[in-house]
């Protein structure tokens, strides 16, 4: 097992990574508050892992809340079911929510914990690769509103994160690849040697070999933990670097109305577009583009945009909730392993990049 911690003063918390953590009673005991616990999960994950977790926590008073699966359910109506379970189960401020699932469950359970009785503890047990390397770490919690994704939320750091790599064995291949896009992102923004390691380890990661999974998740979480510790609330621009590829990715997701493209798949193409744009601006050597494309391909990800007019994608990029003062912020690469936030990128250059990756 690997462990690291995210340094946030009195809100510092551990992240544990390894196979079989779901059965580690002592580890949970050491990291959970003493009161009643509410496991929040969904209809897909519950049949796979809820029983194991029940046994691990057999000596505790536990209530359960099994939500419908999917992003369309990440809303205030579903959230109310979590509050109903907490109230019916008499969970008080000395208790905790345990999120058992991917990013949708984690974001909703985290937001419920931020609000319930003005805030209770939340432990995250992320069960997708994306949630193990990204959404369970850093304290962003939210639900969607019909007008936009994650519009209603709060910063609420978990009390601990337990990333059990064994649960990734049941994850569908597409979801695995989607998570790998975020892993590749960390190499691009912060660590060229991690990127190079991924180039050789990718086949083993896709085969879900434990050693490589633990290494990839630990290195990703270490990078995220460092960035979040430096800029918890995304005020200095440092945390915004985690959005490499995301402005392009969000535009793609919106253009296809979230149909046929997973978030990580859109981010994967976004990483390539951001790399291409960085080369057009003369920030990086164009040879990096081929390396990024090849790594995305070996991760099972797409490297071509959907059939959407570049001008429409440009318009959708302006809707990104991070746009302020009319300026579109874009994360770009200075070199492999080093990124910067820019607000002065010429529209025509962005359009050239978007045109280049049309099908
Ligand atoms: P998800 O939670 O929808 O999970 C993907 C699918 O895999 C679901 O059908 C789920 O039930 C299933 N699943 C989960 N674990 C499984 C397992 N071990 N075996 C088999 N199936 C399993 O999607 P996701 O990619 O994990 O998360 C996406 C969400 O995360 C989005 O709502 C996004 O907004 C959010 N997010 C939040 C942050 C943050 O910082 N809070 C960061 C990135 C993404
Ligand atoms: N997923 C981006 C962030 O946590 O800031």
């Amino acid at each position: 097992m690997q462990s690291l911690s995210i340094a946030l003063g009195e809100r510092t918390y551990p992240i544990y990574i390894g196979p079989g953590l779901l059965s580690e009673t002592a580890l949970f005991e050491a990291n959970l508050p003493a009161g009643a616990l509410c496991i929040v999960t969904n209809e897909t994950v519950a049949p796979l892992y809820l029983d194991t977790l029940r046994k691990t926590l057999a000596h505790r008073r536990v209530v359960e809340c099994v939500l419908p699966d999917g992003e369309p359910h990440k809303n205030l109506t579903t959230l109310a079911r979590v509050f109903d379970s907490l109230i019916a189960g008499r969970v008080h401020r000395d208790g905790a929510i345990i999120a058992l699932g991917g990013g949708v469950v984690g974001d909703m359970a985290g937001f419920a914990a931020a609000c319930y009785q003005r805030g209770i503890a939340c432990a995250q047990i992320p069960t997708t690769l994306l949630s193990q390397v990204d959404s369970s770490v850093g304290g962003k919690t939210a639900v969607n509103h019909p007008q936009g994704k994650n519009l209603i939320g709060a910063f609420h750091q978990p009390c601990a994160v337990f990333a059990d790599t064994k649960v990734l064995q049941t994850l569908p291949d597409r979801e695995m690849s989607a998570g790998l896009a975020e892993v590749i992102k960390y190499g691009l923004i912060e660590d060229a040697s991690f990127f190079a390691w991924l180039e050789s380890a990718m086949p083993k990661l896709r085969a879900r070999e434990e050693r490589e999974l633990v290494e990839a998740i630990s290195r990703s979480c270490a990078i995220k933990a460092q960035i979040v510790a430096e800029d918890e609330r995304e005020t200095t621009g440092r945390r915004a670097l985690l959005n490499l590829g995301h402005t392009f990715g969000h535009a793609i997701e919106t253009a296809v109305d979230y149909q046929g493209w997973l978030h990580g798949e859109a981010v994967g193409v976004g990483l390539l577009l951001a790399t291409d744009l960085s080369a057009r601006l003369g920030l990086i050597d164009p040879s990096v583009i081929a390396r990024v494309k090849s790594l995305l391909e070996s991760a099972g990800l797409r490297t071509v945009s959907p059939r959407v007019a570049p001008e429409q994608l440009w318009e959708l990029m302006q809707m990104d909730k991070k746009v302020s003062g009319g300026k579109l912020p874009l994360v770009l690469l200075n070199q492999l392993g080093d990124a910067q936030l820019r607000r002065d990128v010429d529209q025509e250059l962005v359009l050239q990049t978007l045109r280049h990756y049309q099908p």
Side-chain angles (χ1 to χ4, degrees):
M1 181 184 77
Q2 295 274 331
S3 72
L4 51 123
S5 84
I6 170 156
L8 289 166
E10 61 182 15
R11 285 170 291 105
T12 294
Y13 57 93
I15 303 167
Y16 301 103
I17 302 143
L21 297 189
L22 215 48
S23 305
E24 296 283 341
T25 299
L27 191 66
F28 280 93
E29 227 12 77
N31 287 282
L32 292 176
L37 305 171
C38 177
I39 301 172
V40 178
T41 185
N42 74 21
E43 285 164 348
T44 304
V45 177
L48 295 169
Y49 302 113
L50 183 53
D51 206 41
T52 307
L53 186 58
R54 265 185 205 130
K55 287 183 183 129
T56 302
L57 302 172
H59 57 297
R60 300 288 301 266
R61 191 162 77 75
V62 174
V63 296
E64 293 165 9
C65 177
V66 180
L67 302 175
D69 187 5
E71 187 75 30
H73 299 288
K74 187 179 164 185
N75 56 32
L76 288 169
T77 308
T78 312
L79 186 72
R81 288 178 51 176
V82 182
F83 295 130
D84 292 345
S85 299
L86 289 161
I87 293 163
R90 300 185 319 282
V91 177
H92 303 301
R93 294 192 71 182
D94 61 348
I97 291 180
I98 302 181
L100 174 69
V104 169
V105 164
D107 277 13
M108 274 197 289
F111 186 46
C115 304
Y116 183 66
Q117 298 196 358
R118 301 196 181 88
I120 64 168
C122 181
Q124 292 278 347
I125 307 179
T127 61
T128 61
L129 179 61
L130 184 137
S131 57
Q132 294 190 350
V133 299
D134 190 358
S135 59
S136 66
V137 173
K140 282 189 181 176
T141 73
V143 295
N144 301 330
H145 183 275
Q147 295 299 315
K149 253 186 85 130
N150 296 330
L151 284 186
I152 304 161
F155 283 98
H156 186 64
Q157 298 293 345
C159 60
V161 180
F162 306 89
D164 184 339
T165 45
K166 217 163 110 185
V167 305
L168 299 179
Q169 298 299 336
T170 56
L171 195 64
D173 287 342
R174 263 186 84 189
E175 296 289 352
M176 191 69 194
S177 293
L180 285 168
E182 299 287 357
V183 173
I184 294 169
K185 175 192 79 179
Y186 290 114
L188 283 170
I189 60 173
E190 204 66 13
D191 188 344
S193 73
F194 182 39
F195 187 92
W197 178 82
L198 288 171
E199 288 176 314
S200 61
M202 195 51 81
K204 289 187 173 176
L205 284 169
R206 289 190 72 194
R208 304 172 204 206
E209 293 196 15
E210 285 297 349
R211 258 173 71 119
E212 281 70 21
L213 285 176
V214 172
E215 173 91 12
I217 296 163
S218 304
R219 291 178 79 166
S220 299
C221 285
I223 292 170
K224 181 151 186 183
Q226 181 60 38
I227 290 175
V228 171
E230 289 169 27
D231 181 21
E232 184 182 7
R233 297 207 167 213
E234 208 166 314
T235 47
T236 67
R238 179 90 172 109
R239 185 162 180 169
L241 300 184
L242 294 170
N243 295 323
L244 179 73
H246 284 61
T247 303
F248 290 109
H250 288 152
I252 290 172
E253 285 182 280
T254 312
V256 299
D257 200 17
Y258 299 93
Q259 305 295 309
W261 282 71
L262 296 176
H263 172 70
E265 293 173 328
V267 167
V269 174
L271 295 176
L272 185 59
L273 294 167
T275 307
D276 180 280
L277 183 57
S278 306
R280 283 178 202 275
L281 283 159
L283 296 170
I284 54 162
D285 191 286
S287 64
V288 179
I289 303 171
R291 283 182 71 184
V292 173
K293 183 165 183 278
S294 162
L295 186 55
L296 292 169
E297 282 167 352
S298 72
L301 288 158
R302 310 181 202 198
T303 53
V304 174
S305 287
R307 197 173 294 284
V308 177
E311 292 73 15
Q312 188 191 342
L313 287 174
W314 167 261
E315 283 307 316
L316 290 170
M317 287 169 73
Q318 312 305 307
M319 305 298 287
D320 198 277
K321 67 174 176 295
K322 287 163 183 89
V323 173
S324 65
K327 297 277 184 209
L328 177 67
L330 278 173
V331 184
L332 296 166
L333 297 176
N334 296 318
Q335 57 180 312
L336 204 56
D338 184 25
Q340 64 164 310
L341 187 65
R342 292 272 294 258
R343 293 178 189 276
D344 60 348
V345 183
D346 185 50
Q347 176 182 353
E348 185 45 38
L349 270 188
V350 179
L351 285 171
Q352 282 175 21
T353 288
L354 290 169
R355 282 185 202 118
H356 192 76
Y357 291 92
Q358 284 292 291

